[in-house]
Amino acid sequence: MRQWLIKAATFCCVSLLGFGWAMAQDVTLTSRDGAVTISGTLLGYDGEFYKLDTPYGPLSLDGEGVDCTGVGCPDPQAFIAEFTISGSSTIGSVLMPALLTTFAQNKGLDILREVETDARSTFVMSERNSDRVRAKVHVNSNDTDAGFHDLIAGNSDVVMAMRPVRDDEVRLSITAGTGDLSKSSRVRVLALDGMVITVAPTNPLGLISPEMVAQIFAGDITNWAEINGVDAPIQVHSMTANSGLAQLFEDQILSLIRKPLTIAANLHEFAADLVDAVAQDPFAIGYSTYSELGNAEPLKISGTCGIGVAPQTWQIKNSDYPLTSPLLVYTSHTRLPRLARDFLGFIASRSADIAIRRAGFVDQSLDTQRLTEQGEILANAIEKPDNDIAEIRRYLDVVRGGKKLSVSFHFKSGSTDLDVQSSGNLERLAQIIEIGGMDGKELIFVGHSDGEGDAGINQSISNRRSNAVLRDIRRAAKSADLSRVKLSGVGFGEVFPIACDDSEWGKRINRRVEVWIKEAG
């Protein structure tokens, strides 16, 4: 019984967010063996835990271990899980409804969407052929800024974000008592997308550097002739400032030259309107997401060495495309109802992957490519000046007969820590190993570096990175029988670049660890 009290005390800091019952009435909770009784004012019930204001302070007690008596006792069978999701309209208008619908179907529940305004809907989940409501999910589709504001203010449980949380938002959240939003436990990757720089299909420009894009959008370059185009003024199209996509563009592009958007830019509230305007004007340039490309033409991203990276599904899954933008969900620091937690777990499932693809976004399911499909990377290696041909042959010997997985591991700037997307890749791959999905296989973690500095040192760095990811996989796959899968790591230094090393973004995507899969020999 002492353990029961300790368990109750461990949840004493749970707030009312996520509780579906908030009637302040006196109740008495008694342990099933009758040995312990606690009375107090019922502050909330989330379908699993009772929250009481007691003489000992606020306590949350596991409903499975107690009986409730008193007029304020809720009916557990009548509990409705209720939670709010707020943030990016890009996610909230299409992707989130698709995921909620698929989740309800998998749970054997009917789902009805009640549209309240253009930006707010409630999804009601109920038992099939019954009037019993199991959940109400409120979805507010506005923008990423508003999503974080709602969570920090206690008006939302989940944020839909087009960008990572910013430092000022982390500070506000800590000050407001809603926890540290920078912790990895508070964020997960919902799906993948990429920011694309767009022109009209009739525009002959094939590739562009991020620095050049920044100069155009800041107003430093105003004529296509300045970048080897026709002699015509450039028409700049951008999203309004409160858009999550505009903030992502500011973080990834304009920050390169630390200048604001030109006042001459044509502003759009909706991405679809921006794409249409650019597609119809041969002298226009804009940006969009890979999922909302429309009739506009995406440009390859390139450095001065001429290696260009196109926005394609494979490159986005691998984070090899430099403007890849994971769609993120940030969660409340408080305990959510079980159905809400089930939904957050569902977004990493195969069913969710299908819904994500159907909605036009990039899912995180594993794909493979054969060595014969690595032509561009091999060509870059062969054409790279002073490259060691023996190292290219060694690489071919290592990966021949295998397939490259659509997961790569990249690192935060100036750190050996994995970035958000790579952390999700690590967890997903570890789970597949745990359930036996890699039994009888060999997984080879192949490290690469950028070309900065001494080649021998870069070789050593790439080896360390490959072995670091290998170590993290072993740790993450806690319940796996690792005798059933062969794991190894190897590094090839700077031999196989994906992008030019003349920029920070190019060096960042060159610093990577790939995963190849072969039949264990």
Side-chain angles (χ1 to χ4, degrees), residues 174-247:
I174 293 172
T175 301
T178 50
D180 186 350
L181 284 169
S182 67
K183 288 186 175 180
S184 59
S185 59
R186 300 289 299 276
V187 60
R188 63 191 72 196
V189 178
L190 180 66
L192 303 174
D193 210 341
M195 184 170 63
V196 294
I197 309 304
T198 57
V199 294
T202 54
N203 191 313
L205 193 68
L207 49 80
I208 196 169
S209 73
E211 292 78 11
M212 195 176 292
V213 175
Q215 290 176 300
I216 291 172
F217 278 80
D220 294 342
I221 296 176
T222 59
N223 194 294
W224 287 106
E226 297 177 64
I227 53 173
N228 298 319
V230 298
D231 183 12
I234 301 175
Q235 299 297 320
V236 173
H237 292 262
S238 178
M239 297 292 292
T240 52
N242 63 338
S243 159
L245 183 56
Q247 293 166 2

Side-chain angles (χ1 to χ4, degrees), residues 434-498:
E434 283 184 317
I435 63 174
M438 295 296 174
D439 286 0
K441 306 293 184 183
E442 178 183 5
L443 293 180
I444 308 168
F445 295 84
V446 181
H448 302 276
S449 75
D450 60 45
E452 189 97 343
D454 180 76
I457 293 175
N458 289 335
Q459 170 73 37
S460 178
I461 290 172
S462 66
N463 273 319
R464 288 203 300 271
R465 286 199 177 115
S466 65
N467 283 295
V469 175
L470 175 58
R471 178 200 61 218
D472 290 344
I473 282 287
R474 290 181 182 274
R475 289 176 178 174
K478 297 176 183 177
S479 63
D481 181 355
L482 294 180
S483 67
R484 296 177 177 272
V485 56
K486 182 178 179 181
L487 304 174
S488 62
V490 62
F492 288 93
E494 60 191 63
V495 178
F496 293 94
I498 292 177

Side-chain angles (χ1 to χ4, degrees), residues 318 320 371 374 377-378 380-381 384 387 391-392 394-396 398-399 404-405 407-411 415 418 444-452 454-469 489-499 501 506-516:
N318 273 282
D320 290 345
L371 179 60
Q374 306 299 305
I377 292 178
L378 293 174
N380 293 341
K384 189 174 184 290
N387 238 354
E391 279 295 276
I392 297 176
R394 184 169 74 94
Y395 176 83
L396 296 176
V398 168
V399 304
K404 184 179 173 182
L405 294 182
V407 289
S408 288
F409 298 94
H410 295 261
F411 306 87
S415 170
L418 296 175
I444 308 168
F445 295 84
V446 181
H448 302 276
S449 75
D450 60 45
E452 189 97 343
D454 180 76
I457 293 175
N458 289 335
Q459 170 73 37
S460 178
I461 290 172
S462 66
N463 273 319
R464 288 203 300 271
R465 286 199 177 115
S466 65
N467 283 295
V469 175
V490 62
F492 288 93
E494 60 191 63
V495 178
F496 293 94
I498 292 177
D501 277 322
K507 287 184 282 192
R508 177 179 58 81
I509 63 175
N510 283 336
R511 297 190 295 263
R512 68 198 188 278
V513 174
E514 302 170 346
V515 186
W516 285 77

Side-chain angles (χ1 to χ4, degrees), residues 72-310:
C73 289
D75 177 3
Q77 298 302 313
F79 172 75
I80 298 175
E82 194 162 1
F83 58 100
T84 299
I85 303 173
S86 180
S88 164
S89 60
T90 298
I91 302 171
S93 60
V94 178
L95 181 55
M96 190 57 67
L99 289 171
L100 287 169
T101 299
T102 305
F103 170 73
Q105 291 170 347
N106 285 6
K107 281 279 190 181
L109 301 173
D110 288 331
I111 185 167
L112 176 67
R113 181 176 187 175
E114 297 177 349
V115 179
E116 298 163 35
T117 68
D118 289 343
R120 180 179 171 88
S121 295
T122 295
F123 294 82
V124 181
M125 300 181 192
S126 57
E127 294 183 354
R128 286 182 180 167
N129 304 316
S130 169
D131 292 332
R132 183 188 169 193
V133 175
R134 292 282 303 279
K136 291 184 178 180
V137 186
H138 308 289
V139 178
N140 299 327
S141 301
N142 30 55
D143 56 67
T144 299
D145 276 1
F148 282 119
H149 180 272
D150 286 346
L151 186 72
I152 293 169
N155 298 323
S156 177
D157 304 288
V158 178
V159 179
M160 303 175 288
M162 286 285 292
R163 57 167 174 78
V165 64
R166 288 176 168 171
D167 291 342
D168 61 330
E169 291 162 335
V170 172
R171 290 191 293 269
L172 281 172
S173 181
I174 293 172
T175 301
T178 50
D180 186 350
L181 284 169
S182 67
K183 288 186 175 180
S184 59
S185 59
R186 300 289 299 276
V187 60
R188 63 191 72 196
V189 178
L190 180 66
L192 303 174
D193 210 341
M195 184 170 63
V196 294
I197 309 304
T198 57
V199 294
T202 54
N203 191 313
L205 193 68
L207 49 80
I208 196 169
S209 73
E211 292 78 11
M212 195 176 292
V213 175
Q215 290 176 300
I216 291 172
F217 278 80
D220 294 342
I221 296 176
T222 59
N223 194 294
W224 287 106
E226 297 177 64
I227 53 173
N228 298 319
V230 298
D231 183 12
I234 301 175
Q235 299 297 320
V236 173
H237 292 262
S238 178
M239 297 292 292
T240 52
N242 63 338
S243 159
L245 183 56
Q247 293 166 2
L248 188 67
F249 184 82
E250 179 183 339
D251 291 347
Q252 293 194 356
I253 300 295
L254 288 174
S255 64
L256 295 174
I257 59 173
R258 298 181 181 179
K259 287 188 176 182
L261 179 71
T262 174
I263 59 173
N266 301 283
L267 300 181
H268 302 268
E269 186 175 355
F270 301 105
D273 294 339
L274 187 155
V275 168
D276 287 344
V278 170
Q280 295 169 18
D281 183 351
F283 306 122
I285 189 170
Y287 57 87
S288 180
T289 59
Y290 182 68
S291 60
E292 295 183 285
L293 187 54
N295 293 321
E297 186 72 19
L299 296 177
K300 284 185 176 182
I301 301 300
S302 173
T304 57
C305 72
I307 300 176
V309 185

Side-chain angles (χ1 to χ4, degrees), residues 304-334:
T304 57
C305 72
I307 300 176
V309 185
Q312 297 174 345
T313 297
W314 177 268
Q315 281 72 19
I316 289 173
K317 278 194 176 188
N318 273 282
S319 297
D320 290 345
Y321 178 64
L323 302 183
T324 293
S325 53
L327 306 183
L328 307 169
V329 288
Y330 286 81
T331 56
S332 168
H333 71 302
T334 58

